[in-house]
Amino acid sequence: QVTESILTTLEPGAILDQVANSLADLIGYDNLSIETLDRATGLLRPLTAKGIHVAEFMEPWLPGEEGLATWVVAHNEPALVQDEGSDPRVHQFRKAEVVDGSLICVPLRGREGATGVLTLERIGRDRRYSEEEFELVQLFAAQVSIAFQNAEAHRAVEIRAQTDVLTGLLNHGTFQDWLSTSVAA
């Protein structure tokens, strides 16, 4: 049901909400973050975050800044970190104290490799992620990747249907709809 729900949604915001809610029910987390790779800058861009450190997870990455998420994207490999404090790839937040916890960070993949990351965190020494949970999150991330690709393809088709191929301007029908809506407002 979760897979069907995610794969039949074409709105990126709704996909993000479904992912966060489903993972909360299936795996559990204290923090969740989904970031996409901006190909032009090479930086990860936060799309959504849930949990107790939302503000920190939503901070944009600085040029040259490295962490587990950047490592996962660069290597296109998932990572299970049982002890955040002992893994040098883990980026502790700029303003926060060192967190003792466990992380799962998996790539979101597209046709050209990693397009982003899904990160889950549990805080506390006694709340480590298991190998089974790690495998489940990897499967889940694969479904999320497909859902994002579907949403992107759908949006591209919508844009082509609404614009003139040569000029890139709204086509006649779309312009008339826009004009009617604007006049009515």
Side-chain angles (χ1 to χ4, degrees):
Q1 288 178 330
V2 171
T3 299
E4 181 180 335
S5 175
I6 290 170
L7 292 178
T8 57
T9 303
L10 295 172
E11 175 60 40
I15 293 170
L16 295 174
D17 288 340
Q18 287 179 342
V19 168
N21 295 335
S22 298
L23 283 172
D25 294 340
L26 293 171
I27 305 292
Y29 56 81
D30 292 311
N31 290 302
L32 170 138
S33 172
I34 300 175
E35 301 165 290
T36 59
L37 180 63
D38 182 337
R39 296 268 181 215
T41 64
L43 297 174
L44 286 171
R45 184 175 50 91
L47 291 180
T48 193
K50 305 278 184 193
I52 59 178
H53 291 127
V54 170
E56 289 88 348
F57 275 103
M58 289 303 292
E59 285 185 23
W61 288 79
L62 300 174
E65 191 171 22
E66 294 182 359
L68 183 62
T70 59
W71 184 92
V72 165
V73 168
H75 292 85
N76 198 16
E77 291 180 29
L80 170 61
V81 175
Q82 293 292 352
D83 180 9
E84 293 184 49
S86 67
D87 192 313
R89 299 172 299 178
V90 175
H91 169 72
Q92 295 292 334
F93 298 121
R94 295 174 202 119
K95 297 176 228 165
E97 71 246 13
V98 174
V99 174
D100 182 25
S102 179
L103 288 165
I104 293 176
C105 189
V106 295
L108 300 175
R109 295 183 171 115
R111 291 172 185 83
E112 301 169 5
T115 60
V117 292
L118 166 63
T119 303
L120 299 176
E121 178 183 44
R122 283 188 187 150
I123 298 174
R125 197 174 289 275
D126 59 340
R127 301 187 61 231
R128 308 290 187 217
Y129 283 109
S130 69
E131 287 289 336
E132 292 80 21
E133 290 170 320
F134 181 48
E135 289 176 22
L136 183 57
V137 172
Q138 289 178 69
L139 292 172
F140 203 84
Q143 299 302 316
V144 171
S145 297
I146 293 168
F148 277 135
Q149 289 174 29
N150 290 346
E152 284 178 10
H154 184 297
R155 183 66 187 135
V157 168
E158 279 183 328
I159 290 170
R160 281 196 306 266
Q162 296 171 352
T163 57
D164 178 76
V165 177
L166 182 61
T167 65
L169 299 173
L170 295 179
N171 63 26
H172 181 74
T174 305
F175 177 74
Q176 290 298 320
D177 290 344
W178 175 82
L179 187 60
S180 295
T181 304
S182 296
V183 169

